[in-house]
Amino acid sequence: MSTHRKRSVSSFLLTSLTWMIVIVTIFPIIWMIFTSLHSNDQILNGITSFSLTKPQWVNYINMWDTVNFSIYFRNSLLICGATTLLAGTFAVLAGYALARFDFPGSKAFSMSIISTQLIPGIMFLFPIYLMFLWIKNTFGLPMINTYWGMILVYTAFYTPISIWIMRGFFVSIPRDLEESAAIDGCSKFQAFYKIILPLSVPGIIATGIFIFLTAWDELLFAWVLTTSSDVQTIPVGIRLFVGQYNTRYDLLMAASTVVTVPVMVVFFMTQKYFISGMTAGAVKG
């Protein structure tokens, strides 16, 4: 077999394998959307009774009326948005400092950041809960069932890995650009603000997407640290919804679609920034 033919066969097999993985990955989502457009009786009767000639859009109306998902959406947007802003800001500043400045303990600090990811998050749950109780009893500042309590927890969790991502991205940007800016009379802050920061937009967007999506899907801490619907996020709302309406598969699928599809749309709209940012940060570091 010729080299060209071998490459063609390898390319065909690789493409086929890729499409198989894609189909297997997205099939549950397609099935979820498909199921959400049928009545509960149709779902219980089996796949042979499925039909989209008369989609049951009323499922989405009933879902919103049954459980006020607008509150959970609002809470998730506020908590995840604030977390993305805070953790992203810390990641940009700390990542740049680690990439450009050689200060005492910088290497140890870099290793300690990545080592925090080796500890399972569940190990922090009980200590954080006790710490929040201590803060409430000592200073009178409520942390449980509050926006700032969840934002503080999420920011602390997602800042370390975000710093590491941004550090890798800043390392991939040539130092010559800052040296040229210094020759033109720019200070280090001006060089960072006017030159490095605009060039790092793909990395910032990639980091922001990572933080937001990870916080959006988090359930364990949100379940334990929030007991009021005024603060509970979408994963908690879905969990409560499942517990109360576990036989209403039509409403469950509609709720899952409402939670999943908007995030997927945002991701696909910004995927070029996410991919470019992640790959640029992986060049060296």
Side-chain angles (χ1 to χ4, degrees), residues 140-265:
L141 180 64
M143 300 296 292
I144 299 175
N145 280 329
T146 60
Y147 287 127
W148 55 82
M150 292 304 304
I151 292 171
L152 178 63
V153 170
Y154 285 168
T155 301
F157 278 167
Y158 304 136
T159 294
I161 187 63
S162 301
I163 291 175
W164 191 258
I165 294 173
M166 288 306 305
R167 174 191 174 276
F169 189 88
F170 285 127
V171 167
S172 68
I173 299 177
R175 292 176 178 265
D176 297 342
L177 297 175
E178 295 163 280
E179 294 174 358
S180 299
I183 294 174
D184 292 336
C186 290
S187 63
K188 289 185 176 180
F189 178 78
Q190 289 175 328
F192 168 74
Y193 179 75
K194 295 181 178 180
I195 298 176
I196 302 301
L197 202 58
L199 292 175
S200 62
V201 167
I204 295 174
I205 294 177
T207 305
I209 294 173
F210 169 79
I211 297 170
F212 186 87
L213 294 182
T214 308
W216 184 272
D217 292 334
E218 202 282 323
L219 172 63
L220 179 61
F221 284 85
W223 179 262
V224 175
L225 299 179
T226 59
T227 57
S228 171
S229 60
D230 294 334
V231 186
Q232 289 171 335
T233 56
I234 283 179
V236 178
I238 289 289
R239 182 65 185 84
L240 293 173
F241 192 73
V242 171
Q244 296 175 9
Y245 303 94
N246 56 353
T247 59
R248 292 298 307 271
Y249 298 107
D250 52 344
L251 300 185
L252 288 176
M253 293 298 102
S256 301
T257 301
V258 169
V259 172
T260 304
V261 172
V263 178
M264 289 181 59
V265 171

Side-chain angles (χ1 to χ4, degrees), residues 23 29 42 44 46 72 93 120 135 163 168 211 216-217 228-229 262 282:
I23 292 173
I29 300 174
Q42 288 176 313
L44 293 176
Y72 299 122
L93 297 177
I135 292 175
I163 291 175
I211 297 170
W216 184 272
D217 292 334
S228 171
S229 60

